[in-house]
Amino acid sequence: MKKGAMQKSKQWNVKGALRMAGIFHFLHSCGSSCLLPFLTLYFRHLGLNAAMIGIIMASKHLLALVWRPFSSVLARQYDKRRVVIVGSLLSSALVVLTLLLFPSAGIQAESGRCNATSQPDAYPTALLATLDDDGLNITITTTLQHYSTQSNATVYSVNQTSLSTEQPVEVDTFVSSNWSARGLRSLKQEEGLHTEFLGSLKAMDAQHQMFFLVLIVMVLWECMAAPLEWTADDGLYEYLDFVDATDRYSGVKVWKQLGAAFGNCAVGVLVTSLFCLAGTSVEFYSYTALMILTIPTAALLPIYLRKRERLTSGGFKALQLVHGNSQAILCAITVVLMGMVSSAVSDFLLWQMQDCGATEIHMGISLALVHLSQAAFAPLSGHLSRFLKYHGWALVLAVVILALQCLYYSFLRSPWAVIPAQLMAGFSTGALWWSVTSQSEDIATPGTEKTILRLFEALSLELGAAFGSLAAGFVVQKFGVMLLFQGAGVVLALWSSTLALLKWKIPRQRRINYSRLLAADTEISESESDQEKDWLETAMEDDRGKISGQWKVK
C-alpha cells in the first residue's frame, strides 16, 4: 500500500507539473518574442509597403481565429496533444527560416550603421544593361552607398565598375524612398533586364512577387504554430482540474510575461551587437533555437489524457451567454476595438521608433517594459477593485489609458521617449483583461468560465487584430504612422465616453454560479437554524414565566 501511494503521489505531483509548465511557457514565449514583434520591420526591409504588410498580418490573425480552436478540439478528441505540441514547435521553427531565403527588394537604411570594411555586403548591388555605340551590351555593376538622409528620402551615390569597356561610364545619383526598390526596379524595367527571379511570378514586379511569397510562407507558418498554445493550455488545465487544483492555473501566466520580456531584451542586444555580421537574421535563428530547445520540456509537459468523447458545443454556449447579457455585449465590442488598436500599435510602433533613430536594443527594452508592467499589474488588481467598486469601470479605464498611449506615440521624437507610454501598458492591457475575466465569471454557468474567456480573447487577439492590421496598413500607406496613432487615440477617447455612459445606464446582471449558490444555501440554512433556536428558547422562557406565576398565585 505504501508503494502504491508513493507512485500515485508521484504521478500527480502538482508542484512539479506547474514548474514544468512554467519552464515550457517561459521558453516558448521567449522564442516567440524574439521574432514576432519585429516581423513588420523585416517585411519593410524586404521592400513591402504598409498596405501589403497589413494584409499579411491580417491573414495571419484570421487563420489563427479559425484554425486554433479547430485544431485544439481535434487534438483533444484523438488524444494527440503532445504530438501536436512537439510537431508545432519543430515545424514552425523550420518553416520560418524560409523567409531568410528571399533577397531584399528594398534598400537597407540601416547600412549606415556599418562601414564598408566591416560589412562588404552592407550596400545592395544592381546590374544595369546599357548599349555602346556599336550596339553591344555593356554590363555595369553599380554599388549604392549611403550619402545623406533628408526627411523621408535617402540619397545614394553610385560607384560604377565597367566590365566590358575601358571607358568610364558616368551615372548620375538618384533618390530612392526609404525601404523602397523603386529606383532599381524602374531601371530594370526601362532597360529590359531579364530575370528568372521567383519562377512563375516573374510577370509581376519584384514588390508584388515578394508580397505573394511572404504571404504564402506566413500562412504556412501560422498553420504550424497556431495549434500549440491552446492545446498546451487545455492539457494543463484539465490535468489540474482532475486533481482539483485549477486555482493554481493562473500562476503559469506570469512565466509567459517574464519569458516574453526576457526574449525582447535578449534579441535586442544580440541584433544590435551582431548587426554588421548577421543583420536581422539573428531574430530568426534565435526563434528557431528556442523553439527546438522547448521540445524536451514539451515532452515532459503535464497533460491529462482522456478517452475519446463526443464533441461539445461549449463555444456556442459561450456565445449565447454573452449575447444574453448587455454588459457582456459592451465588453465584447470593447475588446474588439482594443484588439484593433493594439494590433495597429504592435505592427507600426517600431516603424515610428525606427524613423526616430531607434535600434533594436531600444525596441527590445521598450517591448519588455510592456510585459513587465502587465505582470506587475496582477498584485495591484485587488487595490484597483476596491477603488473602482465595479470591474466594469476598469474597462473604461483601460480604453482611456490606451487612447493616451496612442496620442503619445504620435509625437515621438527620440528612441527612449517611448518608455513612459510603455509603462502605462499595465493599466491598459492589464486592466482590460482583469475586467474581462471578472465579466466572464459574472455571466458564466458551471464549466463555461474558461470558454467564455477564450471567446473574448479570440475576439480581441484575432478578430479585432485582423481588422486592425488591415485598416492600419492602408492608413499608414496613405497618411503615415503619425496620423494612424492620432486617429486611433481619438476613436478610443470617443468610445470611452460612450462606454461610460452606457455602463451607467444599463443595469448590471450577475449570474450566481454553483459554488456561490452552495455558499448562499449554507448561510440560509444557518440563519434558519438560528431562528428556530431563538423561537424554542422564547417558548421555554414563556413557559417558565407561566409556571412561576401559578406558584405565586397559590
Side-chain angles (χ1 to χ4, degrees):
M1 294 295 295
K2 291 183 178 180
K3 184 177 180 181
M6 291 177 62
Q7 290 178 350
K8 184 176 181 180
S9 62
K10 182 179 180 180
Q11 182 180 0
W12 302 105
N13 184 2
V14 177
K15 291 184 178 180
L18 291 174
R19 190 180 302 113
M20 184 58 62
I23 296 173
F24 170 83
H25 286 292
F26 179 88
L27 292 175
H28 178 256
S29 298
C30 185
S32 299
S33 61
C34 285
L35 180 60
L36 291 180
F38 303 94
L39 271 179
T40 56
L41 282 182
Y42 186 76
F43 296 156
R44 196 185 194 190
H45 161 70
L46 292 180
L48 303 182
N49 58 37
M52 292 178 175
I53 294 174
I55 295 173
I56 291 172
M57 300 306 292
S59 302
K60 176 180 179 296
H61 292 301
L62 288 176
L63 179 61
L65 177 66
V66 177
W67 177 235
R68 180 172 289 148
F70 185 68
S71 60
S72 176
V73 171
L74 289 180
R76 177 186 181 183
Q77 177 71 9
Y78 294 99
D79 270 343
K80 298 297 182 181
R81 282 175 171 165
R82 199 177 304 278
V83 175
V84 170
I85 293 171
V86 174
S88 178
L89 287 170
L90 183 59
S91 58
S92 62
L94 299 178
V95 169
V96 75
L97 295 178
T98 308
L99 292 173
L100 293 177
L101 301 178
F102 299 155
S104 173
I107 296 175
Q108 297 185 9
E110 306 110 317
S111 57
R113 292 160 58 178
C114 306
N115 54 39
T117 57
S118 61
Q119 187 181 4
D121 296 332
Y123 310 111
T125 61
L127 296 178
L128 305 180
T130 60
L131 294 177
D132 60 3
D133 295 337
D134 299 329
L136 299 176
N137 287 332
I138 300 176
T139 302
I140 303 171
T141 303
T142 64
T143 302
L144 305 181
Q145 288 185 329
H146 179 271
Y147 180 70
S148 64
T149 301
Q150 297 177 354
S151 187
N152 292 326
T154 303
V155 182
Y156 294 87
S157 63
V158 181
N159 294 338
Q160 61 278 351
T161 304
S162 177
L163 301 181
S164 57
T165 180
E166 297 179 356
Q167 299 296 327
V169 180
E170 295 182 0
V171 182
D172 296 332
T173 60
F174 61 92
V175 179
S176 173
S177 299
N178 283 341
W179 305 92
S180 172
R182 296 172 183 171
L184 291 179
R185 287 197 297 271
S186 62
L187 287 174
K188 292 178 182 179
Q189 293 171 359
E190 291 173 1
E191 302 296 340
L193 179 65
H194 179 72
T195 178
E196 295 296 331
F197 178 56
L198 302 180
S200 62
L201 299 177
K202 62 184 179 182
M204 301 180 184
D205 60 87
Q207 190 180 38
H208 284 84
Q209 290 174 346
M210 187 66 66
F211 165 70
F212 282 107
L213 281 178
V214 171
L215 181 61
I216 292 171
V217 173
M218 288 298 294
V219 168
L220 181 60
W221 181 31
E222 189 63 28
C223 287
M224 300 296 104
L228 187 144
E229 188 171 356
W230 279 25
T231 303
D233 284 344
D234 288 342
L236 176 62
Y237 186 84
E238 292 181 10
Y239 178 94
L240 296 176
D241 183 52
F242 186 79
V243 294
D244 295 328
T246 53
D247 55 325
R248 303 187 184 185
Y249 172 76
S250 59
V252 179
K253 297 180 180 179
V254 178
W255 292 105
K256 296 182 181 180
Q257 300 289 350
L258 295 178
F262 182 81
N264 290 146
C265 285
V267 78
V269 173
L270 286 175
V271 173
T272 304
S273 303
L274 304 176
F275 181 82
C276 296
L277 296 176
T280 56
S281 61
V282 175
E283 299 164 358
F284 290 85
Y285 292 128
S286 299
Y287 173 86
T288 299
L290 286 168
M291 291 298 106
I292 295 177
L293 188 62
T294 311
I295 291 177
T297 62
L300 301 174
L301 189 67
I303 294 178
Y304 176 66
L305 301 178
R306 59 172 67 242
K307 296 181 179 180
R308 293 188 182 183
E309 56 186 17
R310 190 180 61 178
L311 296 178
T312 59
S313 58
F316 295 103
K317 180 64 175 178
L319 282 172
Q320 293 175 354
L321 292 173
V322 172
H323 182 266
N325 189 284
S326 300
Q327 294 285 351
I329 293 176
L330 284 179
C331 185
I333 297 174
T334 303
V335 296
V336 171
L337 186 60
M338 293 283 282
M340 292 176 62
V341 176
S342 298
S343 176
V345 171
S346 63
D347 288 346
F348 295 104
L349 175 60
L350 299 188
W351 281 38
Q352 180 81 336
M353 294 182 64
Q354 191 176 65
D355 294 339
C356 294
T359 59
E360 286 76 12
I361 192 170
H362 299 100
M363 301 172 189
I365 293 176
S366 67
L367 292 171
L369 290 176
V370 173
H371 297 290
L372 292 177
S373 62
Q374 293 175 9
F377 178 80
L380 301 177
S381 59
H383 301 285
L384 184 64
S385 62
R386 289 191 292 270
F387 176 74
L388 296 176
K389 305 299 183 183
Y390 168 46
H391 62 76
W393 299 117
L395 199 65
V396 180
L397 176 65
V399 177
V400 172
I401 297 298
L402 186 56
L404 294 176
Q405 285 181 276
C406 290
L407 293 175
Y408 185 92
Y409 293 145
S410 65
F411 297 104
L412 287 182
R413 292 296 179 269
S414 63
W416 294 117
V418 74
I419 290 180
Q422 300 296 79
L423 291 174
M424 298 168 64
F427 288 94
S428 57
T429 308
L432 170 70
W433 291 113
W434 174 75
S435 178
V436 168
T437 303
S438 301
Q439 181 66 63
S440 302
E441 294 174 353
D442 281 355
I443 66 174
T445 57
T448 63
E449 296 89 347
K450 191 169 182 289
T451 306
I452 294 175
L453 184 60
R454 279 265 179 90
L455 175 62
F456 283 123
E457 289 178 351
L459 289 174
S460 177
L461 302 179
E462 306 303 344
L463 183 63
F467 290 147
S469 295
L470 188 64
F474 285 99
V475 170
V476 172
Q477 181 71 16
K478 190 171 182 63
F479 303 104
V481 180
M482 182 181 296
L483 287 180
L484 169 69
F485 291 143
Q486 291 176 356
V490 171
V491 170
L492 287 178
L494 294 175
W495 175 245
S496 65
S497 303
T498 306
L499 180 63
L501 179 62
L502 292 175
K503 280 195 168 293
W504 180 59
K505 290 290 185 181
I506 298 176
R508 181 185 179 189
Q509 302 174 7
R510 188 175 182 181
R511 183 184 299 272
I512 300 177
N513 59 24
Y514 184 66
S515 59
R516 292 172 182 167
L517 186 61
L518 286 177
D521 288 341
T522 302
E523 293 177 358
I524 293 174
S525 300
E526 291 177 354
S527 62
E528 288 179 352
S529 62
D530 292 341
Q531 291 176 1
E532 183 179 359
K533 182 178 179 181
D534 294 340
W535 174 83
L536 181 61
E537 290 179 352
T538 302
M540 293 178 64
E541 290 176 358
D542 292 341
D543 290 339
R544 293 192 190 100
K546 291 179 181 180
I547 294 174
S548 61
Q550 291 176 358
W551 279 105
K552 289 179 180 179
V553 170
K554 291 180 179 180

